Every structure is written in structure tokens, then in C-alpha cells.
Amino acid sequence: MRGLMTVFGKELADDFTSWRFLILFAMVAVAGVFTLYIDSQNILAQAAESNQFIFLKLFTTADETLPGLLQFLNMMAVFFVPIVGIALGFDAINEERNSGTMSRLLSQPIYRDAVINGKFLAGVVTIAIMVTSIVLLVAGVGLRMIGVPPNSEEVIRLMLFLVVTIFYGAFWLGLSILFSIFFRRVATSALASIAVWIFLFFFMPMLAGIVANFMVPLEEAGTEVYLSNLGIQSAVLQVSPVRLYQEAISVILVPGARTLGQTIQILGVGGYRLIPNPLSLDQSLLLVWPHMVSLIALTAVCFAVSYIKFMKEEIRA
Amino acid sequence: MSKQLVVETVDLTKAYDGVTVVDKLNLRVEEGEIFGFLGPNGAGKTTTILMLLGLTEPTSGVVRVCGYDSTREPLKVKRITGYIPETVGFYEDLTAEQNLAYTARLNDLAEWLIPDRVGESLDTVGLSTAADQKVGEFSRGMKQRLAIADMLVKMPQIAILDEPTIAIDPEGVNQILDLIKKIAREHNMTIIMSSHQLNQVQRICRRVGIIGKGRMLAEGMVEQLMKDALGGGRFKVEIQLAEVTADIVDRIKQINGVVEVERSGDLLLVGCTQDLRPQIAKAIIAGDGSLIGMKIKSYALEDIYMKYFHEV
């Protein structure tokens, strides 16, 4: 246990004093504050429409003129958290091996898993601190700007959002640590992580569309065909942690969201606003529970594979 | 055996994908000695060392370090063993002191003990002035000395050094060898040093083991090995004569200290226990020979080594 805590403490100190961390923090903070500014312009106008959950809109409202692009969620969480996770983990193991510190470290009386556990934990804690402080920062500035305090449910929803975001970051961290064990070169492992990131972000939706069109061709028009096509699309997409996370946080942060997937959006006009009554917190949770479990499971798989590979590995000097 | 065995391997074997790297190696190192582990690159030195430390599992055979089985109880072995890998590395963004403190913590040293212990270790290797410097700014020689300090922090009973003098300038090599000698004496530490730099091993090791293709070719005291390997004595005098006669050969043979005389063409090779060139010259002149040239060669571990490797 002490070995684990020692590695953890050292890695945490490393993470926090590194330039890497400062750059990432600045990048995410700037993105957060910038989107917050845009959002705040629209919130008060929208507040007239619904008087509930105004505070959460700080995090979810998009500028109508720049649809989706500057949304805080897409910008900060979905997009940046993976980068943070990858940046903290892509050289975790191979860098130590290349610089010759690994064999020195492993010749100390500690269990081998203390190294990998310590590194993973330190990364998760770093992500947690970074994400929490930025959300608090945005919340604080937002509070000042719109002057509407959050109600208790909003606070709980924000905390849930943080928890899910940390797990999402942990997935990317686990993935990048996995690559840092499999690839000897730091550049290769970084590229591999980024390749996965790009694939899940840009190609996965295309792939889902192709698979769906292949299985249910849209030639014969009809609502049912269209729906089953969409169903397959979203089923394929659900493999991706990005999608899981997106759906989970949109349900948590948009109480008005009653269901997942695109079905309701194409049927109703204006998406979520089809049924204006918001869901209660426990109902929202019920909706995203499978997502959270899947996200945690994916992280666990990444970590387990890394763990097995690392424990069995020959350590040459 | 009067002294206790610190390291013992019994038929230690390691094979990677069917290729045997270490083949039934029997190694015995006694307490307090400096043992030189010799062999060319790829002979299996590093693999053996990794197995001693429990970092690699042997295919078969037993490794015991201070009575602990390295395969079953690697943590106990690592607690009492200091190891300097061939390519030693430090966290370059941390200072020398921070690097050593990390090692100290990994070894469960009490927090209040750490500053003193780290300070002492840096003092021993002469790096106390560089304690607050980042290791990234260190030279190769300094890093190697820091590696020794890093090992001292945990106060091991056994130190295993894998090629400690590789890629270091001659003066740095001297410093490191002296340091190893000093540490072994002051802390009564058993030291195993692997190397292919024979003259260096010869300087500080009393006993050596020569390994080739995973097998122990010879093991013993340096002097004993020399006697065994070079029946012809420690010095070899090469004499060129205009004409070799039996009389001259006889006269040389009679000189006190000449072990053997060998003829090859117009050359005479004389093995002797000391430098006998003046006496040999006199004998040749007394035998009415005409001397053209005379060269002397002193044998060292190198020749033993070459002898064994020619046999492989």
C-alpha cells in the first residue's frame, strides 16, 4: 500500500507541476469561459420561455447563430476531456522504460501493480481536480453574469455531471496508458490514442450510418424503415464511449430530455421541447444508468488489459 | 566454506522462445566479496542479474539471495538488494535529492530519516553540491555516481551493478571503481559487478566468473584462473634471433623463473614468472647467438578471457 501511495504522490506532483498540465488547463479554461460568455448572451432571452433550470442552461445552451459549435458541453467535455486523458497517460509507461527509470523503479521493494495503479489514480485525480475547478469557475462566473442561483437539484445534477465526466476522462486515460504499455515509442502511443479519438469522433457516426444503410436500406420510404435504420445507427454508436458520454450528460444536464436517440427528435418539432415537462432527478438517472455502467465497464476493460500486459511483461534494462 | 553464501543459483536456466540464454548456471557469491561477472555482450549476464532480482522468471532452476527465493519472494530480495541497471535513468525534471527521496520512500524509509540518508548518500559519491540540481543537467559520469547514491539510500546488503562503467571517460571510471571499492569496505557490502571491461574488473574484483553463451566457463580467484589458463607463466618474452640453436634454447631454459620455451620459426616464445629480459639476453650472448629483437608481454585477465572464448 505504501508503494502505491508513494507512486501516486510522485505522479500527482509530476502531473501538477508539468507544463503539459498548465497548457491543458489553460486551454480548457479558456474554452469554458469563452463558451460561457456566448451562452450567457442567450440565457436571459431563453429564460422567458421556461423558468426552470436556468442555471444548467449555462452549460447547455448553444448560440443559435453558431449551432452546436460553441456549446460548452461539446467544446469542453466531449472534446477536451479525451485530450486531457490522453495527454496525461500516453507516455506513462513507455517513457519510464525509455529513460531507464522503469528497471530502477521495479527493483525497489514494491509490487509491480503499485506502479500502474499509482499512475492511473494520479491521472484520475488530476482530471477530477481539473474538471471540477473549471466547472466551478464557469459556474461562479456564470452566477455573477446571470444572477440566478442554482437550486438544489441543479447542484446535484452538476455534481453527477462531474462524476460522469471524470469516468469519461478515466476511460481515455486508461486507453492511453494501455497504448503506452503496448508501444515502446512515445510518439507511437500518442498517435494511437489520437487515432482512436479521431475514429470515435468523426468516423464512428459515418460507420454507423453505413452499417444501418446496409442492413436497412432507405430506398423504400416509410416511417418504420426510417426508424429501424436510425435504431441500428444508434445501437452501433452506443459502442463508442463518446456517444455514451454525450447521451449521459445530455440527460443529466437537460432535465427536459425524456428519451435517448434521435427517434423523438425527428418526430417532434424542436427535439426536446416536444414534451416540455422536465424529468425528475431519479427518472433522469434511471435513463442514463446503463450508460454510466457501460462507460465504467469500458474503462475497466482498458485498465484490466493494461494491468495484465504490464504484470506479465519482461523488464529488460 | 567459512563465509556465508549470499547469492546462489542452482542450474539456473532461461529460455526465450526456445533459445537458451542462460544455461544451467551455477553461481555462488560469498558474503562481503566483490565478484566480477564477466562475459561478452549477449552472454546472458543481464538476464542472470534480472533473475537474481526476481524481475524475470527463470525457466528452470533456483535462485537464492540471502536465503530468499527470488522467484517466490522477490519483494524480500529487492529490499536487501541494490541494483544499478546498465542504462540507468532518473527523472530528469526532478533534482538529485528528489530522485533519491523517491527511492527512499519506495523503500518504506521513515519520512524523518530521509533527508539525512539522502544527504549522506550524496556525500559519499561526492555529489552533495549538486543535490539541488536537476538530473537533466547531469553528465553521464555524474548520473552513474548518482545511481550509486541511489543504491546507498536503501542500505542494501548486496549490490548488483550491471556494466557500471560503460560509456564513461577513464577518469570517471576510476572514480566509480574507487567508490565501489570504498563502499564494499565501509559497509561490508557484497558486490556483484558485471562487465566486459576486463582490466576494470581485474582492478577491484578478487573473484570472477566468466560466462559465455549462458554457461559458466570459469569461476575462481583471478590469480588462480591465470595460473590455470596460462600454464606458461604471467609474462611472455618474444625473442627474434638470426638463428635458433639448441644450445641457446637450453641456456634459456636454465634461467631461474623460466617456465617454458616454445619455438616457432626463428622466433622463441619464453614464458616466465617475471621480467627476465636481461638474463635472457645474457644467455643468448653466452650461447653465441645474434639477437635481433625482444619483446615482452604481460598477461592479464584479458588473455584468460580470450582463451576461454576461443574455446567456446
Side-chain angles (χ1 to χ4, degrees), chain A residues 96 99 104 106 108-109 316, chain B residues 47 50 56 78 89 91 107 150:
Chain A
E96 293 238 15
S99 65
R104 210 167 50 84
L106 290 180
Q108 307 304 335
R316 301 286 316 193
Chain B
T47 309
L50 291 178
T56 295
K78 286 175 191 170
Y91 300 104
N107 279 284
D150 182 66

Side-chain angles (χ1 to χ4, degrees), chain A residues 241-285:
Chain A
V242 176
R243 181 65 172 191
L244 289 171
Y245 174 71
Q246 257 170 344
E247 290 188 353
I249 56 170
S250 59
V251 169
I252 288 173
L253 287 182
V254 186
R258 303 193 63 102
T259 183
L260 291 164
Q262 287 143 323
T263 321
I264 202 98
Q265 290 185 24
I266 50 149
L267 292 178
V269 196
Y272 308 134
R273 275 167 246 166
L274 180 66
I275 304 157
N277 289 339
L279 282 180
S280 65
L281 183 61
D282 55 337
Q283 289 299 311
S284 283
L285 260 182

